[in-house]
Amino acid sequence: MERELPPKGVGIVWALLALNTLGSAGAKTVIALPRSLIQLATMGALVVAFALALVLNFRLRVRPSAFVFLLTLLLVPSVISSVNLAVGYGALFRCTRLALFVGTLWLVSRWWDGGLMFVRYHIRMYFSVLVLVAAGLAVSPGTAMPEYYGGRLVGALWPLTPPQIGQYAAVIIGLTVLLLLSRRTTGRSAALVIVPSLVLLAMTHTRTATLGLIIGLVLAIGSLILTSGAARRFFAWAVVCATVAAVAFSSALRTWFLRGQSQENFSNLTGRAKVWDALLDAPRTTTQELFGVGLGDKSFGGLPIDNSWLAVYNEQGLVGVGIVAGVFLVLGSVALLRPPSLPRAGAIFLISYVAISSYTEAGLGDASPYLLHLALAASLLALPAAATPPPEPALPRPPVPPRAQHPEVV
């Protein structure tokens, strides 16, 4: 049975979902954009994405998906904790946003069949974001690499932080490398994506994204070694190059990795550990322990939490943590049970990257790029729809005798 190709509008829906997750807070831009205007654009993108997905799938045909089902369950503790308005009316707004996000994923799940079309949507969208970042760097280098971020690359035309840019660059680099190894793209096309993305990733000085890219690719390519000669050659050359670089440029790599921080500041993860300790020591009621305090801005005491698990614990409680853990358990188990293939390797890369990033980045409990990465992994792990047996041909009717064709009238 041939795969059902998604309509062209599905790519627009996926791009609008990615636009919604870009966020509205970050670095200062060349032209000061009101945060309310950016929020209107991002939220409007989600509403349009849901409406367009509804038009494209007006019969409401969806694929059974444990991943999207678990995200739907995540709405339960989100709503229970948010109706108390402990963090204000913004919690209900974020619940609505999460519901629209999950609803849109249900609608586009109809076209999840293990194909690579959504991978291409993903790469195109986030590469467009990186082009916007590069344009901001060309227009105003001082704004794009400000001192208050330690000279790290930020978004000068759209308020993007260094971790965001590093995340987008790392994800599309990893996916493009896997496409190249499986000969699903040309070397020239891959170089046009990988080389500038690597440069921007290095300029962000984002350690989490770099480690996630390296470890994710090692696991993904490792899943292809037994079946792909290209994967074996790439893995061997990567080990040799990494060894030479570690020996020849150890001092430069250490300087880049520390980003000018002291050993003490590096050991407590740039102050994150203090926020985490304060969050865990804060008194909570039984309801808050189970369901959290409601969807907020992923901060505690005015400081960012920067840990997905603690952010989910704070906002959706132990129930939310259990559901998010179930997401990784389901996706990871399905990926391990699939035979070696490019879709399986792509899913392993995305799951590994998001799992590593969850330690120093928040977003698994709300509409975010990390949930969109996992949705892409779920689409890669989906099996094609079962082929419908062709209808049986009609049996030929016996010929009518000539006498029966012209009966005599008696």
Side-chain angles (χ1 to χ4, degrees), residues 340-404:
S341 64
L342 173 59
R344 176 184 183 241
I348 290 174
F349 168 74
L350 291 166
I351 296 168
S352 305
Y353 180 87
V354 174
I356 294 167
S357 300
S358 67
Y359 185 65
T360 58
E361 298 292 334
L364 288 179
D366 206 345
S368 69
Y370 296 106
L371 286 189
L372 201 59
H373 301 332
L374 293 180
L376 178 60
S379 75
L380 291 171
L381 294 173
L383 294 175
T388 304
E392 295 183 0
L395 297 176
R397 299 178 61 183
V400 180
R403 182 172 296 181

Side-chain angles (χ1 to χ4, degrees), residues 84-141:
N84 294 326
L85 300 179
V87 293
Y89 287 96
L92 296 178
F93 173 82
R94 293 182 180 92
C95 284
T96 304
R97 176 174 175 246
L98 180 59
L100 286 175
F101 186 86
V102 174
T104 307
L105 291 181
W106 272 121
L107 292 172
V108 299
S109 67
R110 169 186 175 179
W111 295 283
W112 290 357
D113 59 357
L116 300 177
M117 187 59 68
F118 283 91
V119 173
R120 302 187 188 279
Y121 294 156
H122 217 66
I123 293 175
R124 290 169 188 167
M125 172 59 195
Y126 286 118
F127 186 72
S128 300
V129 176
L130 294 184
V131 170
L132 187 66
V133 172
L137 177 62
V139 170
S140 179

Side-chain angles (χ1 to χ4, degrees), residues 4-89:
E4 180 187 2
L5 294 178
K8 294 182 179 179
V10 175
I12 300 176
V13 171
W14 201 259
L16 290 172
L17 287 177
L19 175 59
N20 172 255
T21 61
L22 292 183
S24 59
K28 297 178 181 178
T29 54
V30 176
I31 301 175
L33 300 174
R35 186 176 181 183
S36 57
L37 178 63
I38 299 176
Q39 289 176 330
L40 179 63
T42 54
M43 191 60 192
L46 180 58
V47 174
V48 174
F50 179 78
L52 181 57
L54 199 58
V55 171
L56 296 173
N57 190 5
F58 63 94
R59 294 184 179 179
L60 302 181
R61 294 172 56 187
V62 299
R63 287 287 303 268
S65 173
F67 166 74
V68 187
F69 175 73
L70 288 172
L71 291 188
T72 307
L73 283 183
L74 191 61
L75 284 168
V76 176
S78 303
V79 173
I80 291 176
S81 59
S82 297
V83 293
N84 294 326
L85 300 179
V87 293
Y89 287 96

Side-chain angles (χ1 to χ4, degrees), residues 38 67 154 160 195:
I38 299 176
F67 166 74
V154 301
L160 298 173
V195 174

